[in-house]
Amino acid sequence: TQLLEQSPQFLSIQEGENLTVYCNSSSVFSSLQWYRQEPGEGPVLLVTVVTGGEVKKLKRLTFQFGDARKDSSLHITAAQPGDTGLYLCAGASPGDKIIFGKGTRLHILP
Amino acid sequence: GAGVSQSPSNKVTEKGKDVELRCDPISGHTALYWYRQSLGQGLEFLIYFQGNSAPDKSGLPSDRFSAERTGGSVSTLTIQRTQQEDSAVYLCASSRDYASSYNEQFFGPGTRLTVL
């Protein structure tokens, strides 16, 4: 059974600080996706990483896919209250259903 | 519409009643997923439809839960004899091509189900 473990489960930090959240698996995925969910809404895709070692940047967010395509990280620089939300990673391979981690709940204090 | 829509947005029902939740995926998307999310928790996979193949029902928690996808488009999730532990937000998502490495999912806003 493929599993994705996310850490930490909860993170509460001050505005302006940096943070990293992790997504780990013992399985190889063709791609790794990161979603953010805000209260009362469905998750929204932030980024997809496909190549081992790939790094993608989205403003203050940096996403990295592990060389072996089993893990990923999300680094946020100078966090802002608008970054608050549930961050979900998901692993995908062709023909298989997407597997979601349980998420990291991030709270940025103003 | 441009996105995934779900109806109703909120449903309050009495224990023991049946409920139907509807999902309209993005036109042309071949894959459709149903998830359940309890308050403050992550996504619990329920069922997955991929093209014309038999659905993956491995996440359905009991035989009270069932889902259909008619004509490869609209899907209905039915919960029979609802229990209080069924209370949650039910999310639907669709993706364009289940055979793709990307398989990016587009989520609806969810149906909040409350069983009294």
Side-chain angles (χ1 to χ4, degrees), chain A residues 69-91:
Chain A
R69 290 187 286 126
K70 293 183 179 181
D71 53 80
S72 181
S73 64
L74 159 59
H75 182 79
I76 300 179
T77 303
Q80 298 179 1
D83 296 328
T84 293
L86 177 67
Y87 288 80
L88 296 157
C89 69

Side-chain angles (χ1 to χ4, degrees), chain A residues 5-24:
Chain A
E5 294 193 4
Q6 290 190 240
S7 61
Q9 282 186 284
F10 302 97
L11 186 58
S12 182
I13 63 171
Q14 291 293 137
E15 180 178 2
E17 293 185 358
N18 301 330
L19 67 106
T20 302
V21 299
Y22 301 92
C23 175
N24 295 294

Side-chain angles (χ1 to χ4, degrees), chain A residues 29 33 35 89-93 96-100, chain B residues 33 35 45 48 95 102-105:
Chain A
F29 292 99
Q33 303 164 10
Y35 294 79
C89 69
S93 292
D96 292 337
K97 66 176 181 280
I98 289 179
I99 306 296
F100 275 89
Chain B
Y33 295 76
Y35 297 93
F45 165 76
Y48 167 41
S95 60
Y102 286 84
N103 246 342
E104 299 164 8
Q105 294 198 347

Side-chain angles (χ1 to χ4, degrees), chain B residues 19-40:
Chain B
V19 295
E20 285 190 352
L21 312 180
R22 178 187 168 104
C23 172
D24 283 87
I26 293 172
S27 178
H29 278 198
T30 59
L32 186 148
Y33 295 76
W34 282 97
Y35 297 93
R36 180 168 70 176
Q37 188 173 37
S38 299
L39 187 63

